[in-house]
Amino acid sequence: MQLIPCPWCGPREETEFHYGGQAHVAYPADPAALSDEDWAEFVFYRDNPVGPFAERWAHTAGCRRWFNAVRDTVTYEFRSVYEMEGMVNDTGGAPFAMPDRVRVSRKTQREVAS
Amino acid sequence: MRSPDLPDHPDQLWRNPEPRRSYDVVIVGGGGHGLATAYHLARHHGITNVAVLEKGWLAGGNMARNTCIIRSNYLWDESSGIYEHSLKLWEGLEEELGYPILFSQRGVLNLAHSLQDVRDSVRRVNANRLNGIDAEWLDPAQVAEVCPIVNVSPEVRYPVLGATYQPRAGIAKHDYVAWGYARAASDLGVDLIQNCEVTGFDISDGKVTGVQTSRGRIAAGRVALCAAGHTSVLAERAGFRLPLQSHPLQALVSELLEPVHPTVVMSNAVHVYVSQAHKGELVMGAGVDGYNGYGRRGAFHIIERQMSAALELFPIFARAHLLRTWAGIVDVSPDASPIMGLSPVDGLYLNCGWGTGGFKATPGVGSCFAHTIANDRPHPYNAPFTLERFTTGALVDEHGAAAVAH
């Protein structure tokens, strides 16, 4: 078991969290235009990398809010966590295009500073 | 001290050749599925110019890490077809390979803990019988007759309301299965190459022509993937994606105990499955870890949940000592069914997505996948398990009968 740094609550035990799979998978902008292959891609196909992976997590037993994280699928280390807002496909959907630094709320920054 | 039940092995199990520069068929992955496929290609299709490439050591991945359970009590006709085909092959496998595999048809109980469990279970028993598969519905008292150490008291948090029972199900000794296939394939001329990782694929005009490996390039007329949890990594190197997610699946064993557990017990709801190995360890599995991982180790809280479930079902285990834990990496598909057949690249064949249930399918995969490779088209038993089903919608949804949470 490891501690996961919730952006709002700070580090909490892994069992408090729920996994939401790959991050930055945007709902189709024009659903009616999608082919069967496009729908299959959207519904069933996700990346499955060895190494860093941008994922969604929910702090279900805490603040109950969703956030994104970059986690290494081999070491399981959380390299960064960041809020979901404004991050959805603003880099063209590249799954690993994320800010260099951890985007955290002020509360967590205060906790880290103290 | 060695158990008198365990047979001696021959002095030589398989040849250990240098890789040649070219093969008719290269199989990527030297686990149970890869070895069984190679054996069937050589023995039943006359294709002996075959290499099995294994990045580690033979059968050292999921084949060495599973809980050995063999059964065919799946819900849908498609699954019944291939798993029952496999179970029938298990029943003759010692003779086929000329090698002991300690196949023990001690039966499997799948417990029901809620009214919905009961309804689903009875439906599955009926579906199994319509497909000619042995299946019975047992009430709690009958469960206790089959396995007296199961706690069928109505006082527990998730009482046992009954179980499906497949008497022909059982376990086999996984290492011996792999060694039996490896020895037989090697004797038929198949080259088993260890410490040889496939790093890329040579593809021209949409057709595979060879593989790049950590031991150089090897030309291949056909290439077959049997890499379980790492198949999507290989597919990416071949230029296409697969609808797979890789998760650690944990198991553990107790110290050696006197025979106490006569069958196999699985519980989908409280989530543990237990049998007693030939030597005496209690072998227990859990559900997959909740997130993607390639770490071959699991999270501790999964073990904690698994143990609490085991102790409620089997109070007798309370003083057993845990000997060791481990995890394998399983490839989970969206409908909990395998993907087996052709791929977007000509001459490159897929066998993946077995998730938590690949061991029981080993002989069936060998038979059907070798047919697929030899004839460039699926065997009738693996024809429903195409990659295209995720586009057409013809899914084989076996989340219920897969029996492991994923």
Side-chain angles (χ1 to χ4, degrees):
Chain A
M1 196 177 319
Q2 64 175 331
L3 296 176
I4 295 176
C6 171
W8 292 281
C9 307
R12 295 290 187 276
E13 292 209 352
E14 182 180 335
T15 50
E16 294 188 12
F17 294 85
H18 175 77
Y19 183 62
Q22 183 174 354
H24 311 303
V25 180
Y27 191 80
D30 184 8
L34 261 56
S35 66
D36 288 352
E37 287 73 21
D38 294 334
W39 274 116
E41 185 79 14
F42 172 68
V43 175
F44 293 123
Y45 284 71
R46 296 291 181 268
D47 292 340
N48 190 23
V50 178
F53 190 31
E55 305 170 322
R56 300 179 303 173
W57 287 80
H59 190 190
T60 42
C63 63
R64 303 180 63 191
R65 295 179 72 179
W66 285 90
F67 61 94
N68 288 333
V70 176
R71 186 183 60 96
D72 190 306
T73 61
V74 178
T75 65
Y76 303 165
E77 176 197 4
F78 280 75
R79 296 194 177 180
S80 65
V81 295
Y82 52 101
E83 297 172 23
M84 304 187 87
E85 290 78 9
M87 293 301 299
V88 178
N89 266 5
D90 60 356
T91 55
F96 301 141
M98 79 289 289
D100 292 336
R101 61 190 174 79
V102 177
R103 282 177 24 147
V104 293
S105 68
R106 288 185 175 182
K107 180 188 166 198
T108 313
Q109 284 173 357
R110 275 202 307 275
E111 282 178 2
V112 170
S114 66
Chain B
M1 190 179 73
R2 202 171 58 80
S3 162
D5 293 336
L6 300 182
D8 289 325
H9 295 290
D11 292 337
Q12 181 181 325
L13 281 167
W14 55 80
R15 297 174 293 110
N16 201 23
E18 286 297 307
R20 298 205 294 269
R21 294 181 60 185
S22 170
Y23 290 95
D24 292 339
V25 178
V26 162
I27 295 169
V28 185
H33 286 196
L35 294 168
T37 302
Y39 167 77
H40 275 269
L41 276 173
R43 174 76 175 76
H44 298 292
H45 297 277
I47 301 173
T48 56
N49 186 22
V50 176
V52 178
L53 307 184
E54 166 55 47
K55 72 176 175 182
W57 59 89
L58 281 187
N62 289 0
M63 191 65 173
R65 296 160 195 270
N66 73 82
T67 49
C68 300
I69 299 167
I70 295 162
R71 60 190 176 88
S72 64
N73 55 349
Y74 279 70
L75 177 65
W76 300 110
D77 294 350
E78 296 88 344
S79 316
S80 292
I82 194 159
Y83 287 111
E84 178 61 14
H85 173 57
S86 194
L87 180 49
K88 284 177 178 152
L89 292 174
W90 279 112
E91 288 174 325
L93 196 56
E94 288 205 353
E95 284 179 29
E96 166 104 24
L97 297 178
Y99 199 83
I101 59 165
L102 303 187
F103 181 47
S104 164
Q105 289 178 290
R106 56 183 65 183
V108 62
L109 292 165
N110 287 80
L111 304 181
H113 299 275
S114 67
L115 187 55
Q116 188 62 49
D117 273 358
V118 171
R119 289 171 177 153
D120 291 344
S121 300
V122 172
R123 179 191 181 197
R124 186 142 54 87
V125 164
N126 291 330
N128 290 159
R129 287 185 170 183
L130 287 170
N131 279 314
I133 294 169
D134 58 321
E136 297 168 38
W137 169 253
L138 305 186
D139 63 27
Q142 293 170 310
V143 170
E145 277 176 35
V146 172
C147 190
I149 59 172
V150 174
N151 182 7
V152 295
S153 158
E155 305 302 317
V156 298
R157 185 174 179 192
Y158 299 106
V160 174
L161 302 182
T164 67
Y165 184 49
Q166 185 180 19
R168 286 165 60 241
I171 61 171
K173 197 151 172 57
H174 51 96
D175 291 335
Y176 292 15
V177 174
W179 298 339
Y181 273 121
R183 180 167 178 258
S186 179
D187 285 350
L188 290 163
V190 173
D191 282 358
L192 308 177
I193 316 288
Q194 305 182 71
N195 301 311
C196 182
E197 181 176 5
V198 170
T199 55
F201 296 85
D202 295 328
I203 296 167
S204 66
D205 297 332
K207 185 178 187 330
V208 71
T209 58
V211 292
Q212 298 143 25
T213 81
S214 55
R215 296 174 69 173
R217 182 181 184 276
I218 298 174
R222 294 172 185 196
V223 175
L225 304 186
C226 286
H230 290 71
T231 306
S232 54
V233 178
L234 287 167
E236 199 176 311
R237 291 172 188 166
F240 60 92
R241 296 175 90 198
L242 291 171
L244 295 174
Q245 298 284 283
S246 296
H247 291 258
L249 174 65
Q250 299 192 68
L252 54 86
V253 293
S254 74
E255 61 195 324
L256 305 188
L257 300 169
E258 293 294 317
V260 291
H261 189 340
T263 183
V264 181
V265 172
M266 313 185 71
S267 170
N268 212 354
V270 301
H271 226 89
V272 69
Y273 36 102
V274 187
S275 64
Q276 188 165 17
H278 294 85
K279 277 191 297 183
E281 307 102 316
L282 297 168
V283 183
M284 301 189 210
V288 300
D289 280 19
Y291 40 80
N292 291 28
Y294 288 94
R296 284 186 175 165
R297 62 188 166 79
F300 185 76
H301 64 270
I302 302 282
I303 295 175
E304 205 172 17
R305 274 186 223 150
Q306 176 190 3
M307 288 298 91
S308 63
L311 286 187
E312 185 170 295
L313 287 175
F314 302 96
I316 192 179
F317 293 173
R319 288 168 188 272
H321 290 107
L322 176 65
L323 201 65
R324 62 182 180 275
T325 76
W326 65 90
I329 306 304
V330 299
D331 47 338
V332 176
S333 72
D335 59 358
S337 284
I339 301 167
M340 189 175 174
L342 312 185
S343 84
V345 177
D346 285 347
L348 182 63
Y349 303 95
L350 292 172
N351 170 55
C352 56
W354 290 93
T356 60
F359 177 72
K360 70 175 79 70
T362 301
V365 167
S367 153
C368 296
F369 201 34
H371 181 280
T372 303
I373 297 161
N375 299 292
D376 195 35
R377 65 172 187 276
H379 186 282
Y381 284 131
N382 64 291
F385 298 105
T386 61
L387 185 57
E388 287 74 25
R389 74 179 187 273
F390 299 102
T391 304
T392 63
L395 304 181
V396 187
D397 184 359
E398 286 290 5
H399 281 280
V404 175
H406 62 305

